[in-house]
Amino acid sequence: MELDVSRTIKWIKLANEKIQMNKDYLTTLDQPIGDGDHGINMARGFQAVVTKLDEEDYQEVSDVLKDVAMTIMSKVGGASGPLFATVFLKLTNALKGEQIINQKQFAIGLNEAVSGLKQRGKATEGEKTMVDVWSPIADLFQTKEEVDHSSILQTASNALEKVKDMMATKGRASYFKEKSIGHLDPGAVSSYYIFEALAEVWKGASK
């Protein structure tokens, strides 16, 4: 499986569709342990991303991802904006100069994204954040010989289940301590939608 410009754009547009469809759900998740605006912010930001992508003509995958990162940074409020912008910017930097991205190159990009996310959010695995979804996906691409759509979905789904059982130790949710157990982190759920969309693109390109 390889990612080119058109598949990358399709990936982001699919992610936007899933975020728009689940905007209210994401907001509901954010209300008990967050600011209550995650769904609204993500929906606004990703809609702006799609508008930007429709306006441009891209030659490289990294150019697409750079516009994704910059638009998210300017349009998504709260803590989520810088965090999601960081992962896409790190992907941009790792994949620069390539028109076609293979699994090995994408794995390198994901590792860079996770490192950037940890640094920006001052978080690591097991703290009930979006790191707990991005990190297992990065490990999958790094370790599995041939990643397919079902392995992406399974890994993301398993990661989300584990997040639910964690006690938050980062961000606003950490104030709730044990009460955060059983709640899903909205940033982790948004990340799941991003990888659910990637899995669909991966499947389509593997036929």
Side-chain angles (χ1 to χ4, degrees), residues 4-43:
D4 57 13
V5 166
S6 64
R7 290 178 193 139
T8 304
I9 292 172
K10 185 179 180 183
W11 169 31
I12 301 302
K13 287 186 173 183
L14 270 173
N16 174 59
E17 288 176 15
K18 293 176 186 299
I19 288 168
Q20 300 299 333
M21 195 182 310
N22 293 283
K23 176 177 68 174
D24 293 340
Y25 173 58
L26 289 170
T27 294
T28 300
L29 288 177
D30 199 32
Q31 285 167 345
I33 57 174
D35 293 328
D37 58 359
H38 181 80
I40 296 165
N41 285 336
M42 290 294 289

Side-chain angles (χ1 to χ4, degrees), residues 141-160:
F141 274 82
Q142 188 73 42
T143 58
K144 190 173 174 67
E145 186 173 337
E146 189 171 340
V147 173
D148 59 16
H149 75 284
S150 61
S151 61
I152 298 172
L153 279 178
Q154 190 64 55
T155 300
S157 180
N158 290 346
L160 209 54

Side-chain angles (χ1 to χ4, degrees), residues 3 5-18 46 53 61 65 88 91 95 106 110 134 193-202:
L3 277 179
V5 166
S6 64
R7 290 178 193 139
T8 304
I9 292 172
K10 185 179 180 183
W11 169 31
I12 301 302
K13 287 186 173 183
L14 270 173
N16 174 59
E17 288 176 15
K18 293 176 186 299
F46 268 79
L53 296 184
V61 170
L65 296 172
F88 284 107
L91 279 172
L95 304 177
F106 196 61
L110 285 172
W134 282 82
Y193 294 141
I194 287 169
F195 290 122
E196 187 181 43
L198 178 66
E200 291 180 24
V201 172
W202 216 255

Side-chain angles (χ1 to χ4, degrees), residues 9-130:
I9 292 172
K10 185 179 180 183
W11 169 31
I12 301 302
K13 287 186 173 183
L14 270 173
N16 174 59
E17 288 176 15
K18 293 176 186 299
I19 288 168
Q20 300 299 333
M21 195 182 310
N22 293 283
K23 176 177 68 174
D24 293 340
Y25 173 58
L26 289 170
T27 294
T28 300
L29 288 177
D30 199 32
Q31 285 167 345
I33 57 174
D35 293 328
D37 58 359
H38 181 80
I40 296 165
N41 285 336
M42 290 294 289
R44 180 179 62 236
F46 268 79
Q47 188 58 58
V49 165
V50 168
T51 299
K52 176 68 175 176
L53 296 184
D54 284 340
E55 292 172 351
E56 304 294 334
D57 184 24
Y58 298 99
Q59 302 303 314
E60 295 180 4
V61 170
S62 63
D63 294 333
V64 178
L65 296 172
K66 184 177 181 181
D67 272 354
V68 173
M70 294 297 98
T71 306
I72 288 174
M73 181 65 82
S74 65
K75 298 295 184 182
V76 178
S80 297
L83 293 173
F84 279 95
T86 293
V87 291
F88 284 107
L89 193 58
K90 290 294 184 179
L91 279 172
T92 299
N93 294 337
L95 304 177
K96 198 166 288 185
E98 303 292 340
Q99 292 183 326
I100 305 290
I101 308 299
N102 61 32
Q103 180 182 317
K104 184 177 180 180
Q105 291 167 321
F106 196 61
I108 292 169
L110 285 172
N111 283 335
E112 289 294 315
V114 171
S115 295
L117 186 56
K118 289 179 175 180
Q119 187 175 18
R120 167 71 75 168
K122 296 180 173 59
T124 190
E125 291 87 355
E127 295 185 319
K128 203 181 183 80
T129 71
M130 55 189 281

